[in-house]
Amino acid sequence: MEHRIKIAIQKSGRLSEDSIQLLRECGVHFDGAGKGSLVAPASNFPIDVLYLRDDDIPQYIQDGIAHVGIVGENVLIESRASIDVVKRLDFGKCRLSLAVPRAAEYAGLDFFNGKRIATSYPVILDDFLKNNGLRSEVHTISGSVEIAPNIGLADAICDLVSSGSTLLSNGLKEVEVILKSEAVMAAHPNLNDAQKNILRRLLFRIDAVRTAIANKYIIMNVPDEALDAVRSVLPGIKSPTVTPLAVKGWSAMHSVVSETHFWEIIDELKRLGAQGILVVPIEKMIV
Ligand code: PRT
Ligand code: ZN
C-alpha cells in the first residue's frame, strides 16, 4: 500500500488562503474546499488535505486522525495538545494582548487584580495571570470579545490583535502583549518512518519556496577593475558567476542577494560602477 499522510488546514478563515497557497507553491496539486468536502487527496504527492475548523486541528493531530497540520500557535497552545511544532510559517501573524478601555488609567499589571477579563483564550490567560501572581475573574466567551467592556460584561479583554483597528473602534487600548503568534506546521509526535519521510519531503519543499522568496537573482555589468570590490559585497550562494562581455573591460556578473540587505547592496553596487542591474525573482531555491 502506498503511504500517505493527512495534513489538516483551516477550511475557511484567515489562514486558509495562505495555507493552500503554500502547499500549491510546493507543487502539490489538490482541490480547494468545496461544499461539504472534507478531504482533498493530492494527485501528485502522497498527502491528503483535510479541511477543518482551526480549533479542531490540534486535537485531530494529537489523536492521529491528521498527521500534520497548519494552525495558529495561539490555537495550538490554548488546546494544550501534545504535538510538535515542526516549522514556523511566517504568516497569520498576530498577538494575544490585554486591552482596557481607553479612558482607564493603566499603570501596570496590578490593574487586573480583582478585574473581570473577557477572552476566548482562558488557558493562556490563566497561565499568564498565575505567572504574574494576579487574581482576576476570567470570563470565557467565544466571539466578539471586544464588545464585552462596552456592554458591562468585563473590565478588560484578552484577545488577538493584528492591526489594532478593532480595539480602536471599540474604544479600547492594548496594554500588554501575552503571546506573539504566527501560523505553524505541527505534527503528531509519533509518526512512523514512512510518514516522517513524506513530512521531510514536504518541509524540504517549503524551505525551497521560503528561501526563494527571501532572495533575488541579480545580473549586472561591471567594469573589470571593480570586479573584486563588487564580489566582496555580493555573498552569492557560493560565489558570483563572472563572464566577460563583448565590450572590452566589462564583465557580466550574476549573483543571489538576500531581501534583508537588498537596497544597501544595490546602492553599494551602483557606487562601485555596476550598470544595467537586473533583478529577477527566484521561484525555488535549493541550497
Ligand atoms: O471557523 P474557524 O474556527 O476555523 O475560524 P476562526 O474564526 O476561529 O479563526 P480566524 O479565521 O478568525 O483566525 C484564524 C487564525 O488567524 C487565528 O487563530 C490566528 O492565529 C490568526 N490571526 C491573525 C487572527 C488575526 N490575525 C486577527 N486579527 N485571528 C483573529 N483576528 C481577529 C481578532 O480576534 C480580532 O477580532 O481580528 C480582530 C482584530 O484584528 P485587527 O486587525 O483589527 O487588530
Ligand atoms: Zn476557530
Side-chain angles (χ1 to χ4, degrees), residues 59-200:
Q59 187 70 47
Y60 269 66
I61 298 174
Q62 181 173 294
D63 294 348
I65 298 166
H67 303 97
V68 297
I70 296 177
V71 69
E73 263 177 308
N74 51 305
V75 171
L76 188 68
I77 298 173
E78 183 68 23
S79 75
R80 289 212 159 122
S82 351
I83 59 181
D84 302 333
V85 169
V86 292
K87 187 162 287 292
R88 310 179 68 79
L89 297 174
D90 209 36
F91 63 83
K93 289 195 173 178
C94 57
R95 48 201 191 270
L96 184 66
S97 291
L98 285 164
V100 303
R102 208 176 314 149
E105 267 180 48
Y106 183 82
L109 283 176
D110 269 352
F111 175 93
F112 296 102
N113 262 322
K115 295 279 191 352
R116 298 162 304 162
I117 311 175
T119 190
S120 310
Y121 291 87
V123 171
I124 301 176
L125 177 58
D126 273 336
D127 269 356
F128 177 84
L129 294 172
K130 227 175 260 140
N131 291 338
N132 287 283
L134 298 168
R135 289 167 179 280
S136 316
E137 222 180 274
V138 174
H139 288 252
T140 305
I141 51 180
S142 58
S144 304
V145 170
E146 65 279 359
I147 64 168
N150 289 319
I151 59 173
L153 191 70
D155 307 299
I157 66 165
C158 165
D159 198 12
L160 297 176
V161 183
S162 45
S163 68
S165 67
T166 303
L167 293 183
L168 195 68
S169 60
N170 284 280
L172 301 170
K173 61 181 176 189
E174 184 177 8
V175 291
E176 305 285 345
V177 175
I178 294 184
L179 173 80
K180 284 200 174 135
S181 178
E182 68 186 275
V184 295
M185 175 88 79
H188 185 79
N190 302 314
L191 298 178
N192 67 33
D193 285 347
Q195 293 162 340
K196 273 189 203 152
N197 193 36
I198 298 170
L199 176 58
R200 230 185 334 259

